Amino acid sequence: MHGRLIKWTAIVFVLLAGVLYIGKMPYDQILRDEVRARHQQLIKTADILIQEKLLDLEQDAYRLSLQSAVSGYLDAPTVVRRTIMQRALIDASNAYPRYAKIRYIDRAGMEQMRVNAAPRTIPRCRTARTRTTSRKAWRLNRARRIFRRWI
């Protein structure tokens, strides 16, 4: 009698495990499909955000090219107009702090002028946990550590 009970318990356990395993496969597939759909939506959202940033960049460059200081230098490059344009680029760098650098590249592809944004201060780490995290972050290479805006 005791042997029969163990045998039936083992059979029920194996059947139950098989049913649960078979039921788990469609559930896992549903989860994979949901994750895939979310990733596709995130990729679409990222693409839209990139397009918006590129449009902002294009509009900022167009606004900058309409300034009389910039267009005057482009029409007739002289030393005086170059300093005026340089001052306009510095003002634009202060007005648009999202750009790390603003460059003027001539038609030959040579960089003629560059304005670097003013350095921004990094807040000091105050807690031990933050210090450890920042030390780990500084060990990463520059491309992984900093996401710079364009120009």
Side-chain angles (χ1 to χ4, degrees), residues 15 18 20 26 32 54 65 75 82 86 96 107 125-126 151:
L15 288 175
L20 289 176
R32 275 190 224 107
L54 285 173
S65 71
D75 292 339
R82 179 181 173 85
Q86 194 170 17
Y96 303 117
R107 294 183 191 268
C125 301
R126 299 196 190 279
I151 297 183

Side-chain angles (χ1 to χ4, degrees), residues 59-100:
Q59 289 172 347
D60 291 344
Y62 181 69
R63 270 188 240 127
L64 192 59
S65 71
L66 291 179
Q67 289 184 2
S68 61
V70 175
S71 61
Y73 178 76
L74 296 178
D75 292 339
T78 62
V79 175
V80 173
R81 289 184 177 182
R82 179 181 173 85
T83 57
I84 293 171
M85 180 176 161
Q86 194 170 17
R87 185 70 229 161
L89 292 181
I90 290 170
D91 292 342
S93 174
N94 293 332
Y96 303 117
R98 62 181 167 260
Y99 299 114

Side-chain angles (χ1 to χ4, degrees), residues 1-15:
M1 179 92 168
H2 188 62
R4 258 172 139 185
L5 181 63
I6 292 175
K7 183 170 110 177
W8 281 105
T9 304
I11 290 172
V12 168
F13 178 75
V14 168
L15 288 175

Side-chain angles (χ1 to χ4, degrees), residues 5 11 23 30 35 43 53 65 91 98 101 105-106 109 111 113 115 120 126 129:
L5 181 63
I11 290 172
I30 291 170
V35 168
I43 289 171
K53 293 296 180 188
S65 71
D91 292 342
R98 62 181 167 260
K101 296 176 183 153
I105 300 173
D106 65 4
E111 180 180 298
M113 193 178 307
V115 174
R120 290 164 180 82
R126 299 196 190 279
R129 183 173 184 212

Side-chain angles (χ1 to χ4, degrees), residues 29-44:
Q29 186 61 38
I30 291 170
L31 288 178
R32 275 190 224 107
D33 293 342
E34 285 181 12
V35 168
R36 192 172 296 121
R38 286 182 189 152
H39 281 236
Q40 288 174 349
Q41 183 62 36
L42 287 172
I43 289 171
K44 288 178 185 176

